[in-house]
Amino acid sequence: MAEQLSGLADDRALLGRTSTAERVSDILRSRIAEGYFPPGTRLSEDSIGGALGVSRNTLREAFRLLTHERLLVHELNRGVFVRVLAVEDVEDIYRTRALVECAVVRGLGEPPYALDALAEAVVEGQRAVRKGDWKVLGTANIHFHRELVALAGSDRTDELMRSVFAELRLAFHVADDPKALHEPYLARNQQILGALQAGDREEAERLLAVYLKDSLQRVVEVYRRRVGEDI
């Protein structure tokens, strides 16, 4: 915990003079997504509040916001913990992804599409592979899908999926072989990008639907093995 709090203290400057519970929740959401606070970790109000230099009330409001997003859970007389997902949670996350992401691609309209950010996410993944950094590759994969959703041009959809992707990272953090979990999907990201660059949104949607189905099967397989059904 000391190492995590040291890193968290570095984020204190991000709060500036306009410190709010929303800004604190943004910082904690990012730290949870990055794995600084793994699933099951108890979050200390005193330690985190001290590291960020915020009041107990502000921190509690940030915890409340992240609990609403399903990233944290409050246990009576025990405190606040980073949520440990059940297998059913993982399945529901992927149902939501399939509904939203496929609908975004289906509704793109006529090409050409604004694909620069999507292409950059693929390049980010390629750099991670060259470095053998599989955790960063997982982040790059999520960036790809976040930018895919952003093609809809909808702030509300972006906000919805920001929480979904953050929750998905909770499942990724239990993987004992992140290379096997993430590496196969970089090539699939490239295929989806290629279809969109060619203006073929129907093929892109087909590739995406298969991608999400296969990814769900793989993540659930890993998740069952690592944490089981009784969490």
Side-chain angles (χ1 to χ4, degrees):
M1 177 64 76
E3 181 180 352
Q4 291 95 324
L5 292 174
S6 175
L8 194 62
D10 294 338
D11 289 329
R12 187 169 181 170
L14 298 175
L15 297 175
R17 295 183 178 180
T18 57
S19 175
T20 63
E22 289 80 5
R23 287 182 180 237
V24 173
S25 66
D26 285 344
I27 289 171
L28 293 179
R29 185 188 301 105
S30 295
R31 289 294 183 171
I32 291 168
E34 292 164 3
Y36 281 88
F37 300 115
T41 301
R42 182 181 179 276
L43 301 184
S44 165
E45 287 186 2
D46 291 339
S47 298
I48 293 176
L52 290 175
V54 298
S55 70
R56 187 181 297 268
N57 285 342
T58 295
L59 187 60
R60 285 178 176 174
E61 176 62 13
F63 284 171
R64 187 192 68 78
L65 292 171
L66 294 177
T67 299
H68 181 70
E69 293 180 19
R70 301 175 182 270
L71 296 180
L72 302 181
V73 60
H74 180 267
E75 297 186 11
L76 188 62
N77 298 324
R78 294 192 64 215
V80 175
F81 295 80
V82 179
R83 191 158 170 254
V84 178
L85 301 182
V87 172
E88 291 79 10
D89 294 317
V90 177
E91 293 171 337
D92 193 39
I93 288 169
Y94 271 89
R95 277 194 295 270
T96 303
R97 291 187 66 190
L99 285 169
V100 174
E101 293 185 49
C102 290
V104 166
V105 173
R106 191 181 315 123
L108 281 178
E110 295 303 315
Y113 310 119
L115 301 174
D116 287 350
L118 205 63
E120 177 55 34
V122 170
V123 172
E124 179 187 353
Q126 292 169 335
R127 286 196 297 262
V129 169
R130 287 195 294 271
K131 294 178 181 178
D133 194 331
W134 311 116
K135 179 179 176 181
V136 170
L137 176 59
T139 297
N141 283 346
I142 286 183
H143 286 173
F144 178 88
H145 289 273
R146 189 175 65 196
E147 295 299 341
L148 186 71
V149 169
L151 293 175
S154 166
D155 291 340
R156 291 176 178 81
T157 305
D158 290 345
E159 182 72 16
L160 166 67
M161 294 307 291
R162 181 186 70 168
S163 297
V164 170
F165 290 136
E167 196 176 356
L168 179 63
R169 291 298 292 267
L170 296 180
F172 285 172
H173 289 319
V174 307
D176 54 352
D177 188 353
K179 177 182 179 180
L181 185 64
H182 299 305
E183 188 178 30
Y185 298 98
L186 177 59
R188 295 189 180 206
N189 290 345
Q190 292 173 288
Q191 290 173 346
I192 293 169
L193 174 63
L196 291 174
Q197 288 171 330
D200 191 347
R201 69 176 185 271
E202 290 184 1
E203 174 65 4
E205 183 184 356
R206 185 191 69 80
L207 290 168
L208 178 61
V210 175
Y211 177 124
L212 292 174
K213 180 181 178 181
D214 291 346
S215 180
L216 168 61
Q217 182 177 352
R218 176 59 178 153
V219 172
V220 167
E221 174 188 328
V222 170
Y223 208 74
R224 287 187 192 278
R225 184 174 71 248
R226 290 286 291 170
V227 300
E229 293 272 22
D230 58 344
I231 55 177

